[in-house]
Amino acid sequence: MSTMPVGGLVPRAIDNAADLVVRNAKIHTGNPVRPQAEAIAIRDGIITVVGDDNDVASHVGPDTKVVDALGRRMVPGLNDAHLHVIRGGLNYVLELRWDGVPTLRQGLAMLREQAARTPKGQWVRVVGGWSAEQFAERRLPTVAELNAAAPDTPVFVLNLYQSAILNRAALKAAGFDKDTPDPRGGQIMRGRDGEPTGMLLAAPGALILYSTLAKAPVLDEEHRKSSTRHFLRELNRFGLTSAIDAAGGFQSFPENYSTIVELAEAGELSLRIAYHLFPQTAGQEVADLARWIEMASFDDGDEWLRLNGAGENLTWAAADFENFAQPRPEHPPYEAEFEKAVRLLMENGWGFRLHATYDETIRRDLAIFEKLAAEGLFPAGNRWLFDHAETASPDSLDRVAALGGAMSVQNRLSFQGEAFLRRYGPGAAADAPPIAAMLERGLTVAGGTDATRVSTYNPWVALHWLVSGRNVGDLVLRPRSNRVDRQTALRMFTRAGAELTGEEKVKGILSPGFYADLAILSDDYFTVPEPEIPHIESLLTVTGGRIVYAVGEYEGLDEELPAITPEWSPVAHFGGYQATPGTGLSGARQAHALGEAVAESEQHRQWRARRGLAPETVSSFFDPCFSL
């Protein structure tokens, strides 16, 4: 591999020369002992020196790769503490991503183009990472628009945990007709003739959405490997070097884990993954957990791929839903089986994580933990945590701290914030989730995205949400008192994630003896205007001393990947996340896009008016700020 020529650093024949040196950087180490530095040396995947150019000069040998950061900001590699990376990788190249797309008009144009190249028998699928709140038009696509864009190719568009929109061809491919019954917890919307319209509703559970998506064709094993490698490279694009996989529905162990295991065995992972095991079949969860405990040990694996416990569900009955368009579900008693599952894990030294959106669920779970604590099972050194916790109460957080737990929060309200606000009001939205209260209690609070089917996998969107309290539509949801500063937010996406996997002594900061995981950023995270944070990307990402992503001046320094297959893949043509220029860089372009979106929105209103679905005239603008 080539290296950048750097004046002033003269290679010399020395023992234990560095494999890689990065100099002339503004390094935020995350280490309070030495928070800032200018250069770093790496050997055998481990940081050996953190200092200035003089400190690393003596470590440059004839074969050392030397990279000039050109004065840019360097940070520890990011760690997404809740990412469905294994499932996402298996499907990545099949998906048309609307992540970052600023207008519905653009999204529909992408869909129309992709439908034209998608072969017969395959679907066009838009699966998560977007919300109507991000579009200038502020609305979802209609079934009619999907039919017009793709009259013959099945199209499935997932809208958060709330709904899915299918065109006529997808309804036929999925087998939906007048006689198809509504599944439990879901609703098939029907017209006057009883035929499905193309809208599926989670009412309140998302099983109807995911089970329909599961009817689409899947990749074979070789394509799954390629898809996963390209998805990991896409995550490296944003400076991610680690992730904690939260498992999830339709992710069975061991069969759906075989791809990531084979890539790890071949040394082809560019992202460190700690994974969880999620029982898939209601009624046999405890039996599955017992079987897995016999098969594997907690913390099995190495620094690239390791088992981090069970979850994010332990029993299906104990899981609440995160569809804020629907009322909070009332669960029947689930405590007996849930207690068996938790007891089994604690007695065998396993950690776990729990999906819990609402405080009502958290309180019921904590009551079980406190019962087991009376027997000495809590706190017992097992790593365990609650995920999400949008409505966790101060009392519940006190109880979590007393039982030795931790928290993992995700920016789901970046995409669902307005639905949450409409249902629960501004007071609840201001505390959703209560991050400041968590930190005040000394809890480990890690940051994540919950990508790929809800939020985008771009961690800088989540970091912006942590810092600003704003959703993707620029609506302020959380007040300043429940936001964090930029350094705290970055720690939540680095060191805190390492604490959740017990790796805080080797990962999460830039210090000698730690893993050489780092990113050189396109913009200085600590000084860019707040609205620019979501536009940050990595220019060079290093995982374990390997350059796994490189663009701009560093292009060609990273590892080569095979071409994306199949050739008709949406990712091969559009890429993944659709980056847009920062707000300060292209105001004219953004104004033009907004004008197009407004025109498109007016066309849509006129179409509805002609069909009697909207008034012929638009009511005058009303702003309550100017009312008497």
Side-chain angles (χ1 to χ4, degrees), residues 239-462:
L240 281 161
T241 58
S242 290
I244 308 177
D245 186 86
F250 297 90
Q251 184 173 317
S252 298
F253 180 81
E255 52 268 33
N256 294 134
Y257 290 71
S258 61
T259 298
I260 206 75
V261 169
E262 290 177 18
L263 290 174
E265 290 173 345
E268 294 179 338
L269 295 183
S270 61
L271 187 87
R272 305 182 193 275
I273 300 172
Y275 63 90
H276 288 78
L277 303 183
F278 183 126
Q280 296 294 308
T281 305
Q284 69 176 49
E285 299 97 329
V286 175
D288 283 342
L289 292 171
R291 177 165 52 88
W292 295 337
I293 288 170
E294 291 295 321
M295 293 171 58
S297 299
F298 183 58
D299 277 341
D300 266 0
D302 58 23
E303 67 270 25
W304 288 97
L305 184 66
R306 58 205 302 270
L307 173 62
N308 200 51
E312 61 183 293
N313 276 1
L314 301 184
T315 63
W316 281 94
D320 58 19
F321 300 109
E322 57 285 279
N323 180 1
F324 300 124
Q326 296 281 336
R328 180 183 64 81
E330 295 288 347
H331 289 299
Y334 62 76
E335 281 77 0
E337 284 298 300
F338 182 73
E339 179 180 337
K340 291 178 184 177
V342 176
R343 181 186 296 277
L344 178 66
L345 295 168
M346 297 300 288
E347 288 179 343
N348 285 277
W350 274 48
F352 62 88
R353 68 191 308 159
L354 284 173
H355 168 107
T357 299
Y358 302 103
D359 191 56
E360 289 80 357
T361 306
I362 292 172
R363 291 200 306 266
R364 290 174 69 171
D365 294 351
L366 287 170
I368 298 297
F369 301 165
E370 288 163 345
K371 177 182 177 181
L372 297 178
E375 303 176 25
L377 292 178
F378 284 86
N382 301 43
R383 297 191 300 270
W384 71 272
L385 63 125
F386 280 115
D387 279 303
H388 314 311
E390 275 86 357
T391 69
S393 66
D395 176 68
S396 291
L397 297 178
D398 289 337
R399 295 164 70 188
V400 171
L403 292 167
M407 308 298 296
S408 176
V409 299
Q410 298 77 40
N411 63 314
R412 303 193 303 180
L413 294 197
S414 286
F415 298 84
Q416 301 183 88
E418 292 183 26
F420 187 96
L421 181 68
R422 286 192 295 270
R423 181 161 299 281
Y424 297 109
D431 285 331
I435 300 169
M438 295 173 184
L439 293 169
E440 287 168 2
R441 285 158 174 79
L443 291 165
T444 293
V445 185
T449 61
D450 202 8
T452 58
R453 292 184 176 175
V454 186
S455 304
T456 179
Y457 49 74
N458 179 351
W460 299 102
V461 174

Side-chain angles (χ1 to χ4, degrees), residues 233 236 240 269-270 541-543 546-550 558-559:
R233 175 65 61 88
N236 298 148
L240 281 161
L269 295 183
S270 61
T541 304
V542 174
T543 311
R546 294 161 43 202
I547 299 176
V548 296
Y549 181 79
D558 54 355
E559 303 167 347

Side-chain angles (χ1 to χ4, degrees), residues 75-93:
V75 298
L78 301 189
N79 185 349
D80 189 324
H82 188 120
L83 176 64
H84 296 279
V85 58
I86 294 175
R87 185 177 67 193
L90 297 178
N91 301 286
Y92 175 62
V93 300

